[in-house]
Amino acid sequence: MSTLHPGAAPATTTAATSGAPAPDDPAARSTTSFFATMLTQTLIVLRKDLLLEWRSRSRLVSVVLFGVVTLLLFSFAVGPDVRALREGTAGFLVLALLLSSTLGLAESFRLEQEQDAVEGLLLLPIEPVALFYGKALGNTIFLSLLAPILIPVALVLYSVEPAWSDFLRLFGLWLLTAAGLSAPGTLYSAMTSQLRSQDVLLPLLLFPLVVPVLLGAVKALDLVLTGDAMGQLGSWTIMLLAFNLIYWSLCGIVFPRAIEAS
Amino acid sequence: MIERLKWHHFVGLLGLAIVVAGTWIGLFVAPAERHMGDVMRIMYVHVPSAWSALLCFTFVFVAAVASLWTSRKRWDAYMTGGIEVGCVLTALLLVQGSIWARATWGVWWDWDVRLTTSLVMLLLFCGVLALRSFIEEANRRATWSAIAAIVAFVDVPLVYFCVRWWRSLHQIQSSPETVNSAMVLPLRLNAVAFLLIAIWMIAIRARIELARLQAEDAPEPEPLAIEER
Amino acid sequence: MSDAVMPEGVIAGGWSYVIAAYSVTAIGLSVYIWSLVSRSRKPGDES
Amino acid sequence: MTLRASGLGRRFGKHWALARVDLEVAAGEVVLLAGANGSGKTTLLRLVAGLVRPTKGTVSICGIDPQRQPLESRRKLSMISHQAYLYPRLTALETTRIWARLLGLPASDVDLLPMLEEVGLGGRHNESVAGFSAGMKKRLAFIRTRLEKPRLVLLDEPFSALDAAGRRMVEGWIDGFRRSGTSVLLASHTLARAARLADRGILLQQGQVAWRGKAEEVAARLEAASA
């Protein structure tokens, strides 16, 4: 019946080929092999998340719809004043992204908790940092996928007509915003997904934290949409980049402590 | 444990004494300011509140790092104390700032850089307290609230610069210019006093938290007496 | 103060604002300290 | 010594789920953990796996402390818990492939399909896990012990949810572990079956070691106590 030989010598050669360190040799865990492992594992996690995302496309669709509904509601809140709507477009877009993001972020770790899958990953020798960056990249991509729908819908609803060449810029800024939300969002959804009141706690922790990203994004998007007379777009973009750099490194540093054994 | 923390009451009483003196000088001895008149006197509580709140959160950062590093309950307790006291001071700061804004600019809220940053800071650290209250397992509570506190603290300067830049497009940032020498004395006295009172409050709060944490420490059960069948 | 916002002249009637600010601070701190004291009387009590 | 735990204790809130547990497991030894529900079996396994931090005492797996060097210690062990650690929307093959890749092993179909065949999931590797019965999930989870090539296997109720054929399969694997020098820590309710497999047993009561000895005797004691 059983042809398993689980206690056989660890497969050192096969481990070395794919960048993972040799299991029995601590000296092999040098800095380079650490980064190689981390990169490989990050991509594995990312690929898995994208696959899961693809399998549950209906979730993406409902988050997009949620974003569209918020965009619509903003126009009701402001009233049928085309000028006011136009001036607020950048802000409404970013808010729609922010509100949709909590849905997406919360779900991304709920999948891991469902059958303790995250524990299963940790039992495999996965670098916690790789888990973080994989999931954060997955969330960034997920949120970026909202752009192709939400941006045109907002432009139509609020009657803004940017030049065709501006769409690339808009998408680039959207990507930066999504990344800025994803890094702290992944950290906090990892923590709150294990608590009873995730739905309240995640926005409560995340929203004040991402104020700099929001401000930067609103300002930069606004400059693209309504014209950049004083050439400030560059500096706001750099600021968004800087925020991203800080969040991605800081959250990456503390994440391993957040998921360690308690 | 409890005996060792008695020093904080002296600190608190000293702080109270100084705050009475500082406030007296600020209200009745120091002259009215040239443009702002008596409204300027709000500064003698406003600025000390701001300073001590910022120092509280800086202490929180240090305690959070120490708590992550050492996993000792004492640091967790100090961190909690620091966050709570910092939040109280920031809340007071916001009310004072709002009154100040009403007096000088005629509105209750001006999107002033410091006022806005303080509000975001308050929300950030209230979030940490909320997170803390939802975690039951003690190790996890200490680790996660320390992480949240560190992230929140790092975020504060980002908010500040970002709001400043956001504001600078509209008008030059405005805040009370400091300050002639007759006004320095009450300001300094109250700054020291608020700091001492903050330390006092943190110490009391930390002691409460430590007692609560130690109440969770049940001793290991006695070895089982196994009945032979 | 920038002059655009704050024209020449002294704000009159500032005392009411000053009293408001000081009393808010005093009451706020007292209430918090009172809550601390009452909590430390019965340690381990979840607030 | 593959596993050495001394003075192990864990407190959750005010409740000590485990206290004063000393345990040594030599290479190739199969040890039965017996005890009523809530006696601390699962907590002990999770402590050994490094998923829970001990309040007191130390664990060492092949000389490695799972808290100090989690990655190294996890390379030495496999754990099958009641949760199957699966993503419902992935297929059996995809799940296996992710595990293999994370372990740095070759992950082509040629490498993985035989393993799925072995655990009896041969024809169903392209079905998503959501449609699997509990027994099939357990079989899939067992592939991890094949991939990880552990020195220590932690089994939490390995026989539950399995049909007769599945149980025989697990028995065969446990024998295989023993023959190849892999130690097994086996927590099970299916006492008669587990006792036959184990070299010796430990009876846990209220988180403490109540009795040690031959697996059959431990099983008999537990049955006597619960009768």
Side-chain angles (χ1 to χ4, degrees):
Chain A
M1 159 68 69
S2 166
T3 50
L4 288 171
H5 298 295
T12 318
T13 45
T14 47
T17 51
S18 58
D24 272 339
D25 182 12
R29 292 178 49 73
S30 64
T31 322
T32 29
S33 85
F34 170 77
F35 278 110
T37 314
M38 210 192 86
L39 193 66
T40 326
Q41 295 190 336
T42 304
L43 291 177
I44 297 166
V45 173
L46 174 62
R47 210 158 130 175
K48 177 212 76 177
D49 271 16
L50 292 180
L51 188 61
L52 283 172
E53 222 57 90
W54 175 247
R55 291 280 157 77
S56 46
R57 294 178 290 271
S58 54
R59 183 167 82 87
L60 177 62
V61 172
S62 36
V63 174
V64 168
L65 280 178
F66 176 82
V68 171
V69 170
T70 40
L71 284 177
L72 188 69
L73 290 182
F74 285 134
S75 49
F76 291 147
V78 174
D81 177 355
V82 176
R83 218 178 59 104
L85 280 173
R86 199 176 286 161
E87 279 172 3
T89 305
F92 297 152
L93 258 179
V94 173
L95 275 184
L97 170 59
L98 178 68
L99 295 176
S100 323
S101 79
T102 52
L103 297 182
L105 291 168
E107 189 66 20
S108 95
F109 258 92
R110 203 171 287 159
L111 284 175
E112 302 283 352
Q113 297 295 339
E114 209 169 301
Q115 302 199 6
D116 281 348
V118 69
E119 202 170 283
L121 290 184
L122 291 173
L123 276 170
L124 299 167
I126 188 175
E127 292 286 348
V129 186
L131 180 59
F132 173 74
Y133 284 120
K135 289 209 78 76
L137 282 173
N139 282 328
T140 309
I141 292 174
F142 179 83
L143 293 179
S144 312
L145 291 178
L146 304 180
I149 310 286
L150 291 194
I151 292 178
V153 167
L155 296 183
V156 169
L157 281 181
Y158 309 146
S159 24
V160 185
E161 288 178 38
W164 285 108
S165 59
D166 283 339
F167 275 95
L168 205 61
R169 277 194 197 148
L170 285 179
F171 187 72
L173 288 172
W174 186 279
L175 201 66
L176 281 180
T177 317
L181 295 177
S182 296
T186 305
L187 174 68
Y188 279 123
S189 77
M191 301 201 288
T192 54
S193 65
Q194 301 180 32
L195 301 175
R196 277 167 291 137
S197 339
Q198 180 185 27
D199 306 327
V200 190
L201 268 183
L202 182 60
L204 183 66
L205 289 163
L206 191 59
F207 287 179
L209 195 71
V210 295
V211 161
V213 175
L214 293 189
L215 271 182
V218 171
K219 213 62 220 179
L221 282 175
D222 192 48
L223 290 172
V224 174
L225 290 173
T226 61
D228 182 12
M230 289 154 76
Q232 294 167 327
L233 181 59
S235 27
W236 282 103
T237 313
I238 290 171
M239 199 157 108
L240 269 180
L241 274 173
F243 290 155
N244 268 299
L245 196 67
I246 294 170
Y247 287 143
W248 279 75
S249 39
L250 178 68
C251 296
I253 290 169
V254 294
F255 184 80
R257 294 302 307 270
I259 56 165
E260 72 182 6
S262 65
Chain B
M1 181 71 46
I2 288 166
E3 292 307 313
R4 279 177 59 188
L5 284 167
K6 278 291 185 192
W7 53 267
H8 61 270
H9 289 309
F10 296 105
V11 174
L13 289 177
L14 187 62
L16 286 178
I18 299 178
V19 84
V20 168
T23 305
W24 180 266
I25 298 173
L27 286 180
F28 305 117
V29 180
E33 206 257 356
R34 191 156 51 89
H35 291 300
M36 310 199 37
D38 294 318
V39 172
M40 190 66 181
R41 297 181 198 280
I42 295 178
M43 213 180 68
Y44 303 135
V45 284
H46 190 52
V47 173
S49 303
W51 284 346
S52 48
L54 273 180
L55 281 172
C56 270
F57 289 133
T58 314
F59 170 74
V60 165
F61 178 71
V62 174
V65 171
S67 162
L68 268 191
W69 198 275
T70 64
S71 308
R72 291 188 55 182
K73 284 185 175 148
R74 175 174 290 267
W75 285 117
D76 188 39
Y78 277 130
M79 187 194 79
T80 313
I83 296 177
E84 209 177 281
V85 172
C87 284
V88 169
L89 286 169
T90 313
L92 293 176
L93 177 73
L94 286 173
V95 177
Q96 297 155 359
S98 183
I99 293 171
W100 176 285
R102 184 75 178 83
T104 54
W105 303 314
V107 286
W108 289 108
W109 188 266
D110 183 86
W111 290 97
D112 174 70
V113 185
R114 295 173 196 197
L115 217 49
T116 311
T117 309
S118 309
L119 177 60
V120 177
M121 186 164 76
L122 176 64
L123 293 173
L124 278 169
F125 283 100
C126 282
V128 181
L129 285 179
L131 175 70
R132 209 183 153 72
S133 68
F134 279 107
I135 311 171
E136 270 144 30
E137 209 280 320
N139 293 341
R140 180 140 280 174
R141 186 170 53 217
T143 315
W144 285 6
S145 44
I147 287 175
I150 290 172
V151 174
F153 181 78
V154 173
D155 202 48
V156 170
L158 301 188
V159 174
Y160 180 83
F161 284 116
C162 179
V163 175
R164 192 165 78 167
W165 220 1
W166 178 59
R167 280 280 303 178
S168 69
L169 300 179
H170 301 287
Q171 70 177 80
I172 303 304
Q173 176 203 346
S174 56
S175 71
E177 280 306 316
T178 31
V179 171
N180 76 44
S181 57
M183 299 171 174
V184 166
L185 179 66
L187 199 58
R188 282 200 182 146
L189 281 178
N190 271 1
V192 172
F194 268 67
L195 189 59
L196 293 178
I197 293 172
I199 292 173
W200 180 43
M201 295 191 294
I202 292 176
I204 300 178
R205 182 65 185 84
R207 208 176 65 142
I208 295 169
E209 190 68 19
L210 206 54
R212 190 177 290 169
L213 291 174
Q214 281 166 349
E216 288 176 2
D217 282 344
E220 216 171 355
E222 290 301 308
L224 280 183
I226 304 302
E227 77 284 16
E228 287 296 326
R229 277 172 187 270
Chain C
M1 288 308 303
S2 76
D3 286 358
V5 186
M6 192 41 239
E8 291 299 311
V10 180
I11 298 177
W15 273 108
S16 53
Y17 294 114
V18 174
I19 292 166
Y22 274 76
S23 32
V24 163
T25 312
I27 292 169
L29 282 179
S30 320
V31 166
Y32 182 64
I33 292 173
W34 174 78
S35 89
L36 281 181
V37 169
S38 69
R39 271 189 284 177
S40 63
R41 287 275 157 76
K42 35 185 177 182
D45 196 28
E46 205 63 40
S47 60
Chain D
M1 204 50 67
T2 307
L3 168 67
R4 178 173 281 145
S6 56
L8 209 54
R10 170 66 203 208
R11 183 167 47 77
F12 290 105
K14 289 185 178 179
H15 170 66
W16 286 83
L18 208 65
R20 304 171 205 282
V21 172
D22 297 308
L23 178 62
E24 289 196 341
V25 181
E29 226 181 348
V30 179
V31 176
L32 170 69
L33 279 183
N37 278 333
S39 60
K41 298 190 302 272
T42 301
T43 308
L44 178 54
L45 291 180
R46 290 172 63 80
L47 272 167
V48 170
L51 292 170
V52 170
R53 194 183 282 272
T55 311
K56 270 197 173 167
T58 54
V59 181
S60 113
I61 295 158
C62 306
I64 299 171
D65 180 347
Q67 294 306 321
R68 295 251 174 86
Q69 294 172 288
L71 261 63
E72 282 75 9
S73 76
R74 280 162 194 174
R75 283 180 190 283
K76 307 272 185 217
L77 63 85
S78 255
M79 176 157 170
I80 308 295
S81 91
H82 0 249
Q83 285 290 1
Y85 302 143
L86 301 172
Y87 299 95
R89 285 179 195 273
L90 295 184
T91 69
L93 182 60
E94 285 161 351
T95 310
T96 316
R97 184 174 292 142
I98 289 170
W99 291 343
R101 286 213 175 106
L102 281 175
L103 285 158
L105 300 172
S108 66
D109 290 3
V110 185
D111 299 305
L112 300 180
L113 283 176
M115 293 186 197
L116 285 155
E117 202 80 50
E118 260 179 275
V119 298
L121 294 171
R124 315 192 61 170
H125 56 267
N126 274 334
E127 289 176 29
S128 80
V129 175
F132 278 20
S133 69
M136 291 167 74
K137 286 182 183 165
K138 193 132 251 174
R139 287 162 186 241
L140 181 53
F142 258 102
I143 287 189
R144 294 174 70 128
T145 64
R146 177 79 169 97
L147 289 166
E148 291 173 313
K149 300 189 168 61
R151 305 280 294 278
L152 171 66
V153 178
L154 308 171
L155 300 176
D156 199 354
E157 302 294 346
F159 300 111
S160 69
L162 284 175
D163 55 6
R167 282 187 212 136
R168 275 198 301 279
M169 201 182 275
V170 172
E171 282 176 2
W173 290 334
I174 293 175
D175 264 339
F177 291 137
R178 180 192 284 124
R179 277 201 304 275
S180 60
T182 300
S183 316
V184 179
L185 206 51
L186 172 61
S188 179
H189 269 122
T190 324
L191 279 171
R193 188 175 285 275
R196 225 178 324 133
L197 291 160
D199 300 316
R200 58 192 175 91
I202 286 176
L203 180 63
L204 287 177
Q205 264 176 24
Q206 296 159 40
Q208 302 195 35
V209 176
W211 208 78
R212 306 167 189 265
K214 288 200 172 121
E216 296 85 8
E217 294 171 31
V218 168
R221 270 183 175 262
L222 181 61
E223 265 162 9
S226 56

